[in-house]
């Protein structure tokens, strides 16, 4: 399953619920999942980290669906050239705080 297929799956599974919840509350759920990812990393449990990463992408996909954004297109537009979009180098040579 690629990113486009995954986003479409999230649409089939959750779009009705996501629409009822709305953009901002869906965004809050994404942030909550990022917090859970942080906790999993802190505890160092690899299975939990992987599971939380999946949840983060799922909620990001829900948010993208609500905002009518194609994540695959967005990724390709920004990173499709295979170089850092800012410094155009491989690997990136930007200052650490810039990405
Ligand atoms: Zn760079």
């Amino acid at each position: 399953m690629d990113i486009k297929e995954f986003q479409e799956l999230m649409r089939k599974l959750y779009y009705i619920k996501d629409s009822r919840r709305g953009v901002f509350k869906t965004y809050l759920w994404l942030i909550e999942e990022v917090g859970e990812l942080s906790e999993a990393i802190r505890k160092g449990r690899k299975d939990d980290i992987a599971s939380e990463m999946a949840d983060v992408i799922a909620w990001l996909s829900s948010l993208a669906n609500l905002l009518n954004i194609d994540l695959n297109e967005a990724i390709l537009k920004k990173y499709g050239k295979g170089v850092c979009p800012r410094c155009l180098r491989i690997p990136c040579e930007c200052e650490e705080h810039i990405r």
Side-chain angles (χ1 to χ4, degrees):
M1 187 183 325
D2 62 22
I3 289 171
K4 194 172 187 67
E5 291 167 338
F6 183 74
Q7 186 175 351
E8 192 52 40
L9 176 63
M10 295 301 101
R11 181 186 301 279
K12 288 176 186 166
L13 293 177
Y14 301 121
Y15 190 76
I16 293 171
K17 287 183 177 179
D18 291 340
S19 294
R20 288 186 190 131
R21 185 184 318 102
V23 169
F24 187 66
K25 286 183 180 173
T26 300
Y27 167 78
L28 291 180
W29 273 105
L30 168 62
I31 297 308
E32 181 160 325
E33 290 299 339
V34 171
E36 290 177 10
L37 173 59
S38 171
E39 186 177 341
I41 291 169
R42 187 172 52 76
K43 290 178 178 172
R45 297 180 185 149
K46 192 166 183 182
D47 285 352
D48 289 348
I49 293 168
S51 176
E52 295 303 340
M53 285 181 169
D55 287 343
V56 167
I57 292 181
W59 281 102
L60 181 65
S61 297
S62 280
L63 189 60
N65 284 332
L66 286 176
L67 293 167
N68 203 26
I69 290 171
D70 183 322
L71 283 177
N72 192 58
E73 276 184 27
I75 291 166
L76 285 175
K77 184 176 178 184
K78 187 153 190 179
Y79 294 99
K81 291 176 184 165
V83 297
C84 171
R86 199 165 186 92
C87 67
L88 307 178
R89 305 284 179 143
I90 308 172
C92 169
E93 296 178 9
C94 295
E95 296 292 324
E96 183 59 34
H97 65 284
I98 300 171
R99 189 170 187 189

